[in-house]
Amino acid sequence: MPALYKSKEKGKMLFLQRDRCKACNLCINICAVKAIIPDTELNSRAGYPPAPNPESKGCTYCGTCELVCPDFAIYITDLSLLEE
Ligand code: SF4
Ligand code: SF4
C-alpha cells in the first residue's frame, strides 16, 4: 500500500516508498495530528514503516514528515501520479 492517504479534493496523496524506510519513526513522532503509526508488518529492511492511524482524523498534507525523513521515503505528491 504505497499511498498512505489520498485526497481527491486536494489532488494530493501521502506516498511511502515502503522498502526505502529504515523505521526511524521521525515521521511518526513529528506528525502533529498523529496520522501515522508503525505498521504491523515488516518491510524488506526489517523495520515497521509508517501506516495510517485509524484512530486519527487523517493526514492534513502538511508535508512535515517529508521534511524530516532522512531517506526520502515518505512524501506528498500529486494524486494524479497514482495509476489505479
Ligand atoms: S503530511 Fe503532515 S499530517 Fe500528513 S502524515 Fe505527514 S506530518 Fe502528518
Ligand atoms: S522518517 Fe522516513 S525512514 Fe524514518 S520511519 Fe518515517 S518514512 Fe521511515
Side-chain angles (χ1 to χ4, degrees):
M1 187 176 58
L4 302 186
Y5 285 100
K6 294 185 259 186
S7 169
K8 282 187 181 164
E9 206 174 60
K10 295 182 180 178
K12 301 275 181 201
M13 62 178 158
L14 178 65
F15 196 84
L16 175 71
Q17 296 276 1
R18 191 178 168 82
D19 291 324
R20 201 184 277 179
C21 170
K22 65 183 169 197
C24 66
N25 284 349
L26 285 176
C27 58
I28 289 167
N29 293 333
I30 201 88
C31 179
V33 294
K34 304 203 180 308
I36 43 180
I37 52 173
D39 201 354
T40 51
E41 288 182 28
L42 292 169
N43 67 4
S44 64
R45 298 178 75 180
Y48 295 102
N53 179 6
E55 307 282 315
S56 75
K57 290 183 178 169
C59 178
T60 62
Y61 305 90
C62 68
T64 307
C65 53
E66 175 177 345
L67 289 176
V68 300
C69 179
D71 288 46
F72 307 102
I74 191 166
Y75 46 86
I76 305 290
T77 189
D78 286 348
L79 187 58
S80 60
L81 296 176
L82 194 66
E83 291 181 68
E84 288 187 298

